Amino acid sequence: MIRGLWDRETVALLLLICLMPLALVWLWFGGPEAWTRLALALVISGAWHLVFMLARAQPPSFAGAITALAVAMLAPEELGLARLILGISFGSVMAELVFGGWGRNVINPATATLAFLGFGFPAAPWPELVLPLAWAAIPAAVLGVTLGLMPGRVIGGALLAALVSWGVGQGTWPAGLAPVLPMAFIVLVLLVCDPVTSASTLPGRWLYGLLYGGLVVLFATGWQGAAPAQIAVSAALFASLAAPMLDEAAISLWRARRRKHLG
Amino acid sequence: MPLRAINSGLSPALPTAPPASGGVTARLTEEAALIPLRSERLRLDMLCEEGALLAQGAPVARMRDHPEVALVAPMAARLARVRLGPGRQLIELLFFHEPEAGRHVFEVAAARHGDAAAIRVLMQQAGLWRLLRSRPFGRMPAVAESPAAIFVMAADTRPHAPDPVAMLEGRGESFSRGLAALGRLTGGPVFLCQPRGPALAGPGAVEGRLRILRCGNRHPQGLAGFRIHHEHPATPEAPVWELHAEDVADLGALLETGSLPGLRSVSVTGEALTETRLLRCQPGANLRGLCQGAVVPGWHQVLSGSALDGHEATWLGLRDRQVTVQDSHRGSPRSHWFSNALRRAARPLPVIPTAALEQAFGTALPAMALIRALSSGDDESFTRLGGLSLLEEDLALADYVTGATPRLSALLRAALDRIAAEEGL
């Protein structure tokens, strides 16, 4: 039987390659500290994949490396080893592995980890990412959308939400939004555009992107004292929780239009 | 049709040999056979003995459950061997070519005048009824069934499929005659799916009920399933029929001359060949005979059907117009006990939504929702999403693209069988 290209592990590997510009720029600016964080995240995530392979015969996935990368980049700083291990374990196991591995999860394990760490240890400062990273996220997004791995409509929807807020402010960003934008874009590429947990229908993806963008604008203007990473990760978490509902709405809409078209 | 829909789909680049010189050649193989479709239970009452000499198109057997429907000899031949299983279920009827046996002539006077009942009886007697496919469930239609619509497929976008428009060249008269006769069998619309270009039939061909649908070049646009899904979804109460354009032209020729043309256009393609052939052969032809002299030495598989949806076979399938010869990779050269153990114990890997998957469904329906409904056995959602219009061949491209296990087409068949059992069909 002949087989095509797009099985789970090819998708995971290609996604990893798409994120390389982002990862390399981050490692370049982060220095040895970034390398250690990434190595630590990779080891913990890999260890849990190994445990689930031996205990439950769940084949390990390269998607674990994507999770590790996102967590290493975005996790709050000065947490200490134990808390970081706890957070990554919680995210990988509870958000991904117990559901049967990548492809069967309902929320992104990296988002779960970051939300857990952020809400669990609010005293730890969120990382400030340098601006070149946001520029590096652009080639990552272009690669991902061109290969058909990242849903372009989600990015379109998020940009549309930003544009609307810009238009409402008559050509200026709403107060507090401008410093959040680079981080919001990085999180969009790293977490929100995950093909598995984003909405799967075409109109659902527009709505999902719009919702993420709208939440970022809302949090940026209304949430006093929140760090950009905190705002973006929270928006990603709430958007991904709403994704199945958006899909359901899109399918109902599609069926209504179909009934009308078929008479 | 919106622009996005006509450009949707994929063109999988599957390897094949360079085309043979000389264009389309007629080639009757020495042996041919009548076989049931996969998973079809076909109980027969034989009309002649082993060794009987049969004209091409002469009735050989009748279906026990539908005595009106006959199986006919695919060529002028001697009935060499009758293999029936328990309950007189057809395994194989084998024929040897005997050119002097001639052609069977049918009584077509009533059908020629457009009497719907006579056309129905003629199609059932001439073996054309079995070529009709009724959706949902993809079976031969019941003897008295009246379809809500008929789709005539003059487009085929499967990789390396023979061009249906070329098959109709010089047969325009037969085609419009067949189309008009087919139109008598339904009160609903008749859809003609064809590639872009001049229309293959005038608007008046079926009493004003003909509608022409243009298909793009990418797979799966030339499959009936997605067209039916979009234009006229099939339900158990309102079945939709589908027939290939060449068979429609055969029906027209039968009405004209009283005998079946008995040749079918077939492409013989694949990586394990030295040349790609375009042939005209009898139905049920021997596949080894069709690719004789063009096969590269070594292990290979001969499939009836395209590389995407074909099955390993000895004889050309009932509705197949493609033969694919592939390298077969017997045994895996490297295997490790641990990866084997893991593969056996693990649940199959899930399908990840990508743009490729979306295109494999021709962007016609919410692909991931359908896949989730199929893999969780949720027949209600499956029906709501319009899955009843689809058959295995429609999901073959998605299977190829994602390498899904279990195969989506197998899951679709299981869902259709469950729904059919529930409907009591």
Side-chain angles (χ1 to χ4, degrees):
Chain A
M1 198 54 74
I2 55 168
R3 280 281 159 103
L5 187 62
W6 302 96
D7 63 356
R8 185 181 83 159
E9 285 316 294
T10 324
V11 174
L13 264 177
L14 285 175
L15 210 51
L16 202 55
I17 290 170
C18 291
L19 293 176
M20 274 301 133
L22 203 55
L24 293 176
V25 170
W26 176 66
L27 287 171
W28 176 264
F29 282 98
E33 198 196 339
W35 282 96
T36 8
R37 262 165 86 97
L38 180 60
L40 180 70
L42 278 172
V43 166
I44 304 167
S45 169
W48 279 113
H49 276 255
L50 205 68
V51 166
F52 270 75
M53 175 175 73
L54 295 173
R56 298 212 12 207
Q58 236 163 252
S61 168
F62 287 107
I66 301 173
T67 308
L69 176 69
V71 170
M73 280 177 70
L74 298 170
E77 283 161 342
E78 298 165 25
L79 276 174
L81 192 63
R83 288 169 179 179
L84 204 57
I85 294 177
L86 187 67
I88 298 176
S89 305
F90 174 82
S92 304
V93 174
M94 297 311 285
E96 182 183 83
L97 292 169
V98 292
F99 289 100
W102 194 57
R104 293 201 168 89
N105 49 329
V106 275
I107 63 168
N108 189 321
T111 314
T113 304
L114 295 170
F116 176 82
L117 290 173
F119 290 117
F121 311 106
W126 288 86
E128 301 280 337
L129 296 182
V130 292
L131 196 60
L133 240 84
W135 292 108
I138 294 176
V142 168
L143 257 177
V145 172
T146 314
L147 289 175
L149 301 169
M150 293 181 190
R153 287 173 177 79
V154 172
I155 297 177
L159 293 182
L160 192 66
L163 212 64
V164 166
S165 77
W166 188 70
V168 167
Q170 280 142 11
T172 53
W173 297 111
L177 184 61
V180 180
L181 284 176
M183 181 59 91
F185 187 63
I186 295 170
V187 168
L188 174 69
V189 173
L190 262 180
L191 302 180
V192 181
C193 281
D194 170 22
V196 172
T197 53
S198 62
S200 67
T201 53
L202 303 185
R205 284 177 177 165
W206 280 111
L207 291 175
Y208 177 65
L210 274 170
L211 179 64
Y212 170 71
L215 284 172
V216 166
V217 173
L218 183 71
F219 291 162
T221 50
W223 188 351
Q224 299 300 321
Q230 193 174 13
I231 289 172
V233 166
S234 310
L237 177 69
F238 290 127
S240 77
L241 288 176
M245 193 181 70
L246 299 177
D247 268 345
E248 206 53 45
I251 289 173
S252 302
L253 195 72
W254 175 76
R255 289 188 53 222
R257 277 176 52 195
R258 205 164 127 78
R259 266 201 298 276
K260 207 169 134 198
H261 157 73
L262 295 169
Chain B
M1 185 184 260
L3 191 67
R4 180 162 64 79
I6 199 132
N7 284 324
S8 67
L10 300 168
S11 323
L14 301 177
T16 185
S21 55
V24 188
T25 46
R27 174 192 284 244
L28 288 185
T29 58
E30 281 307 307
E31 296 177 14
L34 281 172
I35 46 165
L37 290 169
R38 288 158 52 86
S39 77
E40 187 187 28
R41 290 162 58 87
L42 205 59
R43 305 201 310 142
L44 294 186
D45 280 328
M46 293 304 297
L47 296 175
C48 48
E49 301 278 306
E50 258 181 32
L53 201 62
L54 294 162
Q56 179 237 320
V60 184
R62 297 198 166 279
M63 289 191 195
R64 188 156 253 234
D65 305 318
H66 313 283
E68 300 87 347
V69 184
L71 267 62
V72 302
M75 57 180 171
R78 191 173 295 284
L79 179 56
R81 187 149 172 234
V82 177
R83 283 179 65 203
L84 297 180
R88 302 204 197 181
Q89 263 189 58
L90 173 63
I91 298 174
E92 180 182 284
L93 300 181
L94 180 64
F95 299 88
F96 289 166
H97 191 200
E98 299 276 0
E100 67 276 14
R103 293 169 96 184
H104 187 77
V105 179
F106 293 92
E107 179 52 54
V108 293
R112 197 180 283 163
H113 291 115
D115 177 19
I119 294 170
R120 194 175 276 265
V121 169
L122 179 68
M123 286 182 76
Q124 287 165 1
Q125 285 180 347
L128 289 172
W129 195 260
R130 255 192 105 205
L131 294 171
L132 288 170
R133 184 156 61 173
S134 168
R135 299 185 191 221
F137 315 128
R139 301 169 179 172
M140 180 188 85
V143 176
E145 184 176 301
S146 182
I150 299 181
F151 279 71
V152 173
M153 297 307 297
D156 195 345
T157 48
R158 280 175 269 220
H160 310 308
D163 178 16
V165 176
M167 295 176 200
L168 296 180
E169 242 164 58
R171 303 187 70 189
E173 182 78 8
S174 305
F175 181 64
S176 7
R177 194 185 285 261
L179 212 52
L182 204 60
R184 301 261 173 192
L185 299 181
T186 176
V190 175
F191 294 89
L192 171 60
C193 304
Q194 66 158 87
R196 281 171 275 191
L200 292 173
V206 193
E207 303 156 358
R209 285 180 285 129
L210 184 74
R211 286 182 52 195
I212 294 182
L213 304 175
R214 312 277 171 165
C215 306
N217 302 327
R218 295 188 183 154
H219 201 47
Q221 287 202 47
L223 288 180
F226 292 107
R227 308 331 301 263
I228 293 174
H229 171 83
H230 189 252
E231 299 292 337
H232 203 293
T235 60
E237 296 78 35
V240 174
W241 290 359
E242 153 206 354
L243 190 62
H244 196 277
E246 197 183 28
D247 298 329
V248 176
D250 283 358
L251 173 63
L254 171 67
L255 289 169
E256 236 166 277
T257 63
S259 54
L260 281 170
L263 282 176
R264 161 182 302 195
S265 304
V266 172
S267 67
V268 183
T269 62
E271 53 188 343
L273 290 173
T274 53
E275 58 176 27
T276 289
R277 289 175 172 172
L278 211 52
L279 305 172
R280 284 164 65 69
C281 66
Q282 71 271 53
N286 185 316
L287 301 185
R288 297 273 166 190
L290 293 182
C291 53
Q292 191 187 14
V295 182
V296 173
W299 286 114
H300 56 265
Q301 300 180 296
V302 183
L303 310 182
S304 173
S306 74
L308 297 180
D309 56 6
H311 298 288
E312 209 165 353
T314 315
W315 312 101
L316 188 63
L318 180 65
R319 300 185 187 98
D320 291 335
R321 285 184 161 76
Q322 264 183 282
V323 180
T324 309
V325 187
Q326 288 178 343
D327 288 331
S328 89
H329 310 286
R330 270 163 207 271
S332 51
R334 273 194 301 167
S335 75
H336 190 267
W337 64 268
F338 187 77
S339 60
N340 288 347
L342 190 60
R343 199 175 315 120
R344 263 204 304 281
R347 288 167 73 197
L349 293 180
V351 173
I352 307 292
T354 57
L357 179 71
E358 203 64 53
Q359 295 301 325
F361 278 85
T363 61
L365 43 79
M368 259 337 265
L370 187 80
I371 290 178
R372 287 189 185 127
L374 277 176
S375 39
S376 61
D378 178 0
D379 294 341
E380 269 179 43
S381 302
F382 169 74
T383 311
R384 264 206 301 277
L385 291 168
L388 285 180
S389 300
L390 304 181
L391 288 175
E392 288 99 315
E393 58 176 33
D394 301 315
L395 296 195
L397 181 62
D399 270 332
Y400 165 72
V401 164
T402 61
T405 38
R407 290 174 67 79
L408 299 172
S409 39
L411 291 174
L412 177 83
R413 176 39 66 191
L416 288 176
D417 286 348
R418 274 198 306 272
I419 294 170
E422 213 166 89
E423 297 278 334
L425 296 170

